[in-house]
Amino acid sequence: MPFYQGKLAVLDLGQGDASQHRQLARKLSVPLYTSVAETVQELFFLTWREGALRLIDRALLKKGGMTVEINPRNGEQWSWPAPKRGPLAQALGRKTVTVVDATTGWGQDGLALFRMGYRMQCIERSPVMAELLADGFSRLAQQNWMQTRQLQPPQLIIGDAITALQRLTFCPDCIFLDPMFPPKRKKSALAKKPIEVLRVLLGDDPDKQALFDAAVAAAGQRVVVKSPDDAAPLGGKADASFQGKLLRYDVYFKSPPH
Ligand SMILES: C[S@@+](CC[C@H](N)C(=O)[O-])C[C@H]1O[C@@H](n2cnc3c(N)ncnc32)[C@H](O)[C@@H]1O
């Protein structure tokens, strides 16, 4: 049974290329619609609107839908490289240059790190998220600031990071993990809409322990795990922890920091 059955369809609203919509529906083995009739049961739709691939929640059909946001987040400096500030940069440490984001999702952490000037490689196993990321990264490549600096977007590896990490052709200074944890709080600042959507579409990540072990084996210097602040540390007691808003970055060193 296709993974997204009953959950996801492609919706061609006449914007963008019809063959692009067709190909996407075929690639993901999901239905293709041109309107949302009452008989349609899917909860989410992928569609090209206003120059970007969007994931639209059925309940919010008229709204813009969710895209991989390529612009700096609120409070982030519009410069490249942006200052390496905040708990995530602290968790990465001053010597880190190369980072693999093994759970890229909506790409918000990975892209923030890219804008800080880290050399990034991104891994994502969900074919839907991979499509949204590929679209976001290609929009990123078109940005003036990218082109004038001759920057390339992060490389995107589509597949399970547990095996992809074993096949890396280099040894990244840091591997960053942000797997999905079951929600503990009813109303959490972490449960923002895009993450809730991931939970409905993809479910939790029950193999995060194996992912952590693969990350420890593949990392050159450290593994950083982002988790809700009430979740048990994925790798046992961390060597260091940095507190964010309702979340924590746990750091596991491969070798003593120098
Ligand atoms: C909580 S989201 C990550 C959010 C991301 N940090 C962001 O800023 O948007 C977790 C993502 O990791 C992906 N993921 C979980 N385990 C994975 C694995 N073993 N290999 C590749 N991707 C994985 C899931 O498909 C999901 O898209």
Side-chain angles (χ1 to χ4, degrees), residues 176-195:
F176 172 65
L177 305 178
D178 176 20
M180 221 109 60
F181 287 82
K184 278 203 178 157
R185 292 188 183 86
K186 276 211 169 128
K187 260 200 160 190
S188 156
L190 279 178
K192 289 200 184 83
K193 193 70 186 161
I195 296 297

Side-chain angles (χ1 to χ4, degrees), residues 2-61:
F3 183 73
Y4 300 113
Q5 196 166 30
K7 289 185 180 174
L8 181 82
V10 172
L11 185 60
D12 181 355
L13 294 168
Q15 289 192 33
D17 185 347
S19 67
Q20 214 177 3
H21 284 93
R22 250 194 328 272
Q23 277 170 23
L24 183 61
R26 205 173 309 129
K27 191 168 170 191
L28 296 174
S29 306
V30 299
L32 170 67
Y33 302 124
T34 50
S35 64
V36 183
E38 293 221 338
T39 46
V40 166
Q41 55 168 340
E42 283 77 11
L43 302 172
F44 297 104
F45 304 100
L46 277 174
T47 192
W48 272 275
R49 233 188 220 176
E50 289 154 27
L53 182 61
R54 290 161 196 271
L55 184 65
I56 303 185
D57 186 332
R58 187 193 178 120
L60 302 167
L61 258 186

Side-chain angles (χ1 to χ4, degrees), residues 79-94:
S79 62
W80 192 89
K84 294 183 169 71
R85 274 203 300 249
L88 176 53
Q90 281 177 294
L92 260 55
R94 275 179 296 150

